[in-house]
Amino acid sequence: MNNYGLAVPTYKRHNVLQKLLASIPSKVPVYISDNGSTLPESFQQQHTNAVVRKIFPAVAMFKNWNLAAKLAHEEWIAVPSDDDVYYPESFEIIERCLAKYTDMDMIVFGHNTIDANNVVLNSWVPQFATCSAPNGFLKFRYGVDARMPSIFIKKKLFDQLGGFDEGFKLTAADSDLIQRATLAGNVQFIPEVVSGYRVWEGGLTHATIASSQWMEEVDRWCNRISKFCDERGITIYSNAIRDEVYAQNLLAGIISARRTNGYKAAWRHLNKCRYPFRARLLTQLRLIYRMAKP
């Protein structure tokens, strides 16, 4: 009997969802939150290992993520997006580690970033490490490099943390959850790639990363982590970390704005944001370099 399940939020992407499910062995329980109720009636018959909950009318993105997770009842869960994929050896690696690291609360594997055609754009693989709470946070203090299809978290901890914060609209809900999990639980990092995390040219991140709303959500994320630490007497967080996170997102927005709409658009974005004076010197120099010449 499986001690883990995959919770999959989906929204109007039947074709890519089929590719994800084709990469998952039939023995693995899958829980699908069908946002907007668009999957065909034949879908459940084709995928007997899947439990499908139809959601109508459609709900906000991160609420749908939580609805998918609530369907699962196994000890461990992962929450891949409907366009991610796994590899032939993935579940052998995952099951071996879940059986070995039973005293952990979260296990973090590596991932490939892939494009629409499954071409690997880059890879992220963590160094092997065992971190007791709250020390796992130090691996992700300036941002979360790991991605949800490669993260297995105990359902008990997921529920205790309240899942994904539905107050986010564009970004940070996953990073916020992962950081809180590293602060509250024991984390095992495994240097094995188990998933393909798909990115789309012209997707939501590309369209919104150079916006005031994006930066406001970054601040909201940092405020939540600071409050989480304060409430638990954890002294691991600092204003320098807050500004470094802000600076890295500001830099990414400036790069995106310059590439898409030119130098003036980048300046407009910079002028709408606060300046992160306590960020690392190297990050500030990168900001200055990007804005130094048209």
Side-chain angles (χ1 to χ4, degrees):
M1 182 176 179
N2 286 86
N3 65 339
Y4 68 95
L6 303 179
V8 183
T10 189
Y11 180 63
K12 294 184 178 180
R13 294 205 289 196
H14 181 213
N15 290 337
V16 292
L17 176 61
Q18 293 279 33
K19 294 178 182 179
L20 168 63
L21 295 179
S23 72
I24 300 171
S26 59
K27 67 176 183 177
V28 178
V30 178
Y31 302 91
I32 299 172
S33 181
D34 177 18
N35 202 13
S37 189
T38 62
L39 292 177
E41 292 300 324
S42 60
F43 181 87
Q44 186 76 75
Q45 298 174 353
Q46 296 171 2
H47 303 283
T48 56
N49 62 322
V51 173
V52 180
R53 179 180 178 184
K54 292 185 172 295
I55 307 299
F56 188 84
V59 298
M61 176 171 60
F62 297 124
K63 182 175 182 62
N64 194 44
W65 289 21
N66 280 331
L67 289 173
K70 287 177 181 177
L71 293 172
H73 53 77
E74 284 76 16
E75 181 182 9
W76 296 88
I77 62 168
V79 188
S81 293
D82 55 7
D83 57 347
D84 298 329
V85 295
Y86 291 96
Y87 299 115
E89 68 280 5
S90 294
F91 291 94
E92 179 182 346
I93 297 169
I94 291 166
E95 290 173 8
R96 182 174 68 246
C97 291
L98 294 183
K100 182 175 181 179
Y101 299 107
T102 56
D103 55 341
M104 294 292 106
D105 299 294
M106 186 164 70
I107 299 180
V108 178
F109 300 92
H111 69 274
N112 292 328
T113 301
I114 60 175
D115 68 8
N117 299 311
N118 294 326
V119 174
V120 175
L121 304 175
N122 55 67
S123 299
W124 178 82
V125 181
Q127 292 184 339
F128 181 88
T130 304
C131 300
S132 57
N135 295 315
F137 174 80
L138 295 175
K139 302 290 186 180
F140 294 142
R141 76 186 87 179
Y142 299 134
V144 178
D145 296 319
R147 294 295 179 261
M148 292 308 299
S150 289
I151 296 174
F152 283 75
I153 183 171
K154 281 188 173 170
K155 182 65 160 48
K156 181 179 180 180
L157 178 60
F158 181 93
D159 291 340
Q160 287 175 347
L161 295 173
F164 300 100
D165 179 2
E166 296 172 14
F168 292 106
K169 305 301 179 185
L170 299 178
T171 186
D174 49 354
S175 295
D176 168 72
L177 173 65
I178 295 165
Q179 284 192 337
R180 287 185 290 126
T182 61
L183 290 164
N186 301 324
V187 187
Q188 183 67 45
F189 294 88
I190 302 293
E192 297 272 7
V193 169
V194 300
S195 75
Y197 172 79
R198 197 180 306 278
V199 296
W200 300 90
E201 185 177 355
L204 179 64
T205 296
H206 175 79
T208 59
I209 195 169
S211 68
S212 296
Q213 184 179 356
W214 183 283
M215 299 307 297
E216 288 168 3
E217 292 202 359
V218 169
D219 263 338
R220 184 176 190 275
W221 163 32
C222 292
N223 288 337
R224 280 176 53 80
I225 299 303
S226 179
K227 182 180 179 182
F228 189 88
C229 290
D230 288 345
E231 291 174 346
R232 290 157 179 78
I234 299 171
T235 59
I236 206 167
Y237 199 74
S238 68
N239 287 326
I241 292 175
R242 179 198 299 273
D243 270 16
E244 179 65 22
V245 172
Y246 192 91
Q248 289 189 14
N249 279 270
L250 178 57
L251 178 61
I254 286 171
I255 293 171
S256 178
R258 287 201 65 161
R259 183 183 299 121
T260 305
N261 296 307
Y263 184 70
K264 289 183 178 180
W267 264 112
R268 285 195 296 270
H269 180 54
L270 178 64
N271 289 332
K272 289 179 181 178
C273 300
R274 66 177 179 85
Y275 188 80
F277 289 98
R278 289 164 292 198
R280 291 180 296 183
L281 177 60
L282 178 60
T283 306
Q284 293 191 54
L285 289 174
R286 292 176 66 198
L287 276 170
I288 294 169
Y289 172 77
R290 288 291 177 177
M291 299 306 304
K293 59 180 181 178

